[in-house]
Amino acid sequence: MTPERRKRIDRLKKIIVRTILLMILLPLTGCIILGIRLFRADRTMDRLTDQIIFLEGALQRSIDEKDRTEAIFRISEGVWQKMGREEENAQTAQEAVAAAGNDAAVKEVRKVYLTFDDGPSIYTGEILDILAQYNVKATFFVTGKRKEAYADMYRRIVEEGHTLGMHSYSHEYSNIYASVENFRKDLERLNSLLYNETGVISRFYRFPGGSSNQVSQTDIRELTDYLEAMEITYFDWNISAGDATSAPVSSEYIVDRVITEIPRFTDSVVLLHDAAGKRSTVDALPMLIEKIRALEEETEILPITEETPLIRHTPEE
Ligand code: ZN
């Protein structure tokens, strides 16, 4: 065998061996790669399976949660309805109680408003002392007095919790009832006097002689319209104590007149006078208060306020 030939054979052998090795290695490598991929796929598959199981669980839980929420919703709806019904019941009960209370107030507590016209006078201090002693608040329809001593009375009326009303500055029928203009000037004069002395703007008025007086030369409607425009409320009376006469009356007479009349009304506005010469009115006051308080039906003594029923002689149009 020539060296040449041997070389060729060796080369061939090498080629054959390599080919065989290649034929073995290639599929083997392929198998390994496939194996690895299969393994990975398997693991992914496991993870996905786990995830599916987890999601199924979550889904089930959320379905349960939904059911539970719906159940809670149904329960709370029931509770709301029940609460609504209870609230309605409570309201009805409250209204019934309030209605009963109103009935009771109308039936049981009668109200008396003591009013003193024409002051201040020499008796105002004494009247205020008696009212304080009995803890009674009243209403004073005052006139214009310049005396310094009377300025103190205006102030005491306010400070001691009574209502300060106006009864014209001059109390001269011929002047104040001559025209609306005269009436206005007189009222403004008294109003500013009272404001300067007490710091209070009086909101109440009593016509000298009452709103039904026959002396006014001006239509009383024009005057009441003026008061309304000024937001001043006027009051007349439904019980007269009978102390207006020039001839003196006894204090017993005053007390009897008022006490006999009170049971006729739910609200009584009592006309009394605070003027020189009206001594018996002062003397009647303690007895009057005691007898009002001793009345069989419960009776309150109050000052006039915005809430007081309008007792007037001039009927509303
Ligand atoms: Zn008067």
Short mmCIF file of all heavy atoms in Angstrom, two decimals, residues 112-136:
data_model
loop_
_atom_site.label_atom_id
_atom_site.label_comp_id
_atom_site.label_asym_id
_atom_site.label_seq_id
_atom_site.Cartn_x
_atom_site.Cartn_y
_atom_site.Cartn_z
N VAL A 112 -103.46 87.04 81.45
CA VAL A 112 -103.92 88.38 81.82
C VAL A 112 -102.76 89.36 81.63
O VAL A 112 -101.64 89.11 82.07
CB VAL A 112 -104.40 88.41 83.30
CG1 VAL A 112 -104.65 89.84 83.75
CG2 VAL A 112 -105.67 87.58 83.47
N TYR A 113 -103.04 90.45 80.93
CA TYR A 113 -102.03 91.49 80.70
C TYR A 113 -102.48 92.75 81.43
O TYR A 113 -103.48 93.36 81.06
CB TYR A 113 -101.90 91.77 79.19
CG TYR A 113 -101.57 90.51 78.40
CD1 TYR A 113 -102.59 89.68 77.93
CD2 TYR A 113 -100.25 90.16 78.12
CE1 TYR A 113 -102.30 88.52 77.22
CE2 TYR A 113 -99.95 89.00 77.41
CZ TYR A 113 -100.98 88.19 76.96
OH TYR A 113 -100.69 87.04 76.26
N LEU A 114 -101.75 93.09 82.49
CA LEU A 114 -102.08 94.31 83.24
C LEU A 114 -101.41 95.49 82.52
O LEU A 114 -100.21 95.45 82.26
CB LEU A 114 -101.56 94.21 84.68
CG LEU A 114 -102.11 93.06 85.53
CD1 LEU A 114 -101.48 93.09 86.92
CD2 LEU A 114 -103.64 93.12 85.64
N THR A 115 -102.19 96.52 82.20
CA THR A 115 -101.61 97.69 81.52
C THR A 115 -101.94 98.96 82.30
O THR A 115 -103.04 99.12 82.82
CB THR A 115 -102.17 97.82 80.08
OG1 THR A 115 -103.56 98.14 80.12
CG2 THR A 115 -101.98 96.52 79.29
N PHE A 116 -100.93 99.83 82.40
CA PHE A 116 -101.07 101.09 83.14
C PHE A 116 -100.91 102.27 82.19
O PHE A 116 -99.85 102.44 81.59
CB PHE A 116 -100.03 101.16 84.26
CG PHE A 116 -100.17 100.08 85.30
CD1 PHE A 116 -99.52 98.85 85.15
CD2 PHE A 116 -100.98 100.29 86.42
CE1 PHE A 116 -99.67 97.86 86.10
CE2 PHE A 116 -101.12 99.28 87.39
CZ PHE A 116 -100.47 98.06 87.22
N ASP A 117 -101.96 103.07 82.05
CA ASP A 117 -101.93 104.23 81.14
C ASP A 117 -101.62 105.51 81.90
O ASP A 117 -101.86 105.61 83.11
CB ASP A 117 -103.31 104.40 80.47
CG ASP A 117 -103.53 103.42 79.33
OD1 ASP A 117 -102.75 102.44 79.24
OD2 ASP A 117 -104.48 103.62 78.56
N ASP A 118 -101.12 106.49 81.17
CA ASP A 118 -100.99 107.90 81.58
C ASP A 118 -99.78 108.22 82.45
O ASP A 118 -99.55 109.38 82.76
CB ASP A 118 -102.26 108.41 82.31
CG ASP A 118 -103.51 108.33 81.45
OD1 ASP A 118 -103.36 108.12 80.23
OD2 ASP A 118 -104.62 108.46 82.00
N GLY A 119 -98.99 107.21 82.85
CA GLY A 119 -97.83 107.50 83.68
C GLY A 119 -96.71 108.11 82.84
O GLY A 119 -96.88 108.29 81.64
N PRO A 120 -95.56 108.37 83.44
CA PRO A 120 -95.27 108.20 84.87
C PRO A 120 -95.97 109.25 85.72
O PRO A 120 -96.31 110.32 85.26
CB PRO A 120 -93.75 108.40 84.94
CG PRO A 120 -93.25 108.37 83.55
CD PRO A 120 -94.37 108.78 82.67
N SER A 121 -96.18 108.83 86.99
CA SER A 121 -96.84 109.73 87.94
C SER A 121 -96.16 109.57 89.30
O SER A 121 -95.19 108.82 89.43
CB SER A 121 -98.31 109.33 88.06
OG SER A 121 -98.43 108.19 88.87
N ILE A 122 -96.75 110.21 90.29
CA ILE A 122 -96.20 110.09 91.64
C ILE A 122 -96.33 108.64 92.15
O ILE A 122 -95.68 108.28 93.13
CB ILE A 122 -96.92 111.04 92.63
CG1 ILE A 122 -98.46 110.88 92.50
CG2 ILE A 122 -96.52 112.50 92.39
CD1 ILE A 122 -99.24 111.53 93.65
N TYR A 123 -97.15 107.84 91.50
CA TYR A 123 -97.38 106.46 91.96
C TYR A 123 -96.56 105.39 91.23
O TYR A 123 -96.56 104.23 91.63
CB TYR A 123 -98.86 106.09 91.83
CG TYR A 123 -99.76 106.93 92.73
CD1 TYR A 123 -100.83 107.64 92.21
CD2 TYR A 123 -99.52 107.01 94.11
CE1 TYR A 123 -101.66 108.39 93.03
CE2 TYR A 123 -100.33 107.77 94.93
CZ TYR A 123 -101.40 108.46 94.39
OH TYR A 123 -102.19 109.21 95.20
N THR A 124 -95.88 105.78 90.15
CA THR A 124 -95.19 104.77 89.32
C THR A 124 -94.19 103.93 90.12
O THR A 124 -94.16 102.71 90.00
CB THR A 124 -94.48 105.43 88.12
OG1 THR A 124 -95.39 106.34 87.49
CG2 THR A 124 -94.02 104.39 87.10
N GLY A 125 -93.41 104.61 90.97
CA GLY A 125 -92.41 103.89 91.77
C GLY A 125 -93.05 102.85 92.66
O GLY A 125 -92.56 101.71 92.74
N GLU A 126 -94.18 103.23 93.26
CA GLU A 126 -94.88 102.30 94.17
C GLU A 126 -95.46 101.10 93.39
O GLU A 126 -95.39 99.95 93.85
CB GLU A 126 -96.00 103.07 94.88
CG GLU A 126 -96.27 102.56 96.28
CD GLU A 126 -97.31 103.43 97.02
OE1 GLU A 126 -97.31 104.68 96.85
OE2 GLU A 126 -98.10 102.83 97.76
N ILE A 127 -96.02 101.42 92.23
CA ILE A 127 -96.57 100.33 91.38
C ILE A 127 -95.45 99.36 90.99
O ILE A 127 -95.62 98.14 91.09
CB ILE A 127 -97.26 100.92 90.11
CG1 ILE A 127 -98.55 101.67 90.51
CG2 ILE A 127 -97.57 99.82 89.10
CD1 ILE A 127 -99.18 102.48 89.38
N LEU A 128 -94.30 99.91 90.61
CA LEU A 128 -93.15 99.06 90.23
C LEU A 128 -92.68 98.21 91.41
O LEU A 128 -92.33 97.04 91.23
CB LEU A 128 -92.00 99.93 89.69
CG LEU A 128 -92.21 100.51 88.29
CD1 LEU A 128 -91.19 101.60 87.99
CD2 LEU A 128 -92.15 99.41 87.23
N ASP A 129 -92.70 98.81 92.61
CA ASP A 129 -92.29 98.06 93.81
C ASP A 129 -93.23 96.88 94.06
O ASP A 129 -92.77 95.77 94.37
CB ASP A 129 -92.28 98.97 95.05
CG ASP A 129 -91.16 100.02 95.00
OD1 ASP A 129 -90.23 99.82 94.18
OD2 ASP A 129 -91.22 101.01 95.75
N ILE A 130 -94.53 97.12 93.92
CA ILE A 130 -95.51 96.04 94.16
C ILE A 130 -95.33 94.92 93.12
O ILE A 130 -95.31 93.74 93.47
CB ILE A 130 -96.97 96.59 94.13
CG1 ILE A 130 -97.19 97.56 95.30
CG2 ILE A 130 -97.98 95.44 94.17
CD1 ILE A 130 -98.45 98.41 95.18
N LEU A 131 -95.17 95.32 91.86
CA LEU A 131 -94.98 94.32 90.80
C LEU A 131 -93.72 93.49 91.06
O LEU A 131 -93.73 92.27 90.89
CB LEU A 131 -94.90 95.00 89.42
CG LEU A 131 -96.18 95.71 88.93
CD1 LEU A 131 -95.89 96.47 87.64
CD2 LEU A 131 -97.32 94.71 88.71
N ALA A 132 -92.65 94.16 91.52
CA ALA A 132 -91.40 93.45 91.82
C ALA A 132 -91.60 92.48 92.98
O ALA A 132 -91.12 91.34 92.94
CB ALA A 132 -90.29 94.46 92.15
N GLN A 133 -92.34 92.93 93.98
CA GLN A 133 -92.59 92.10 95.16
C GLN A 133 -93.33 90.81 94.77
O GLN A 133 -93.05 89.74 95.31
CB GLN A 133 -93.45 92.94 96.13
CG GLN A 133 -93.67 92.31 97.49
CD GLN A 133 -94.77 93.08 98.25
OE1 GLN A 133 -94.93 94.30 98.09
NE2 GLN A 133 -95.51 92.35 99.08
N TYR A 134 -94.25 90.91 93.82
CA TYR A 134 -95.01 89.73 93.38
C TYR A 134 -94.39 89.05 92.15
O TYR A 134 -94.95 88.09 91.63
CB TYR A 134 -96.45 90.14 93.06
CG TYR A 134 -97.29 90.37 94.30
CD1 TYR A 134 -97.39 91.63 94.87
CD2 TYR A 134 -97.96 89.31 94.91
CE1 TYR A 134 -98.14 91.85 96.02
CE2 TYR A 134 -98.72 89.51 96.05
CZ TYR A 134 -98.81 90.78 96.60
OH TYR A 134 -99.57 90.98 97.74
N ASN A 135 -93.25 89.60 91.70
CA ASN A 135 -92.58 89.09 90.50
C ASN A 135 -93.56 89.02 89.31
O ASN A 135 -93.68 88.01 88.63
CB ASN A 135 -91.96 87.71 90.76
CG ASN A 135 -91.01 87.30 89.65
OD1 ASN A 135 -90.46 88.17 88.96
ND2 ASN A 135 -90.85 86.00 89.45
N VAL A 136 -94.25 90.13 89.10
CA VAL A 136 -95.20 90.25 87.98
C VAL A 136 -94.63 91.27 86.98
O VAL A 136 -94.13 92.32 87.39
CB VAL A 136 -96.59 90.72 88.50
CG1 VAL A 136 -97.46 91.21 87.34
CG2 VAL A 136 -97.28 89.59 89.25
#
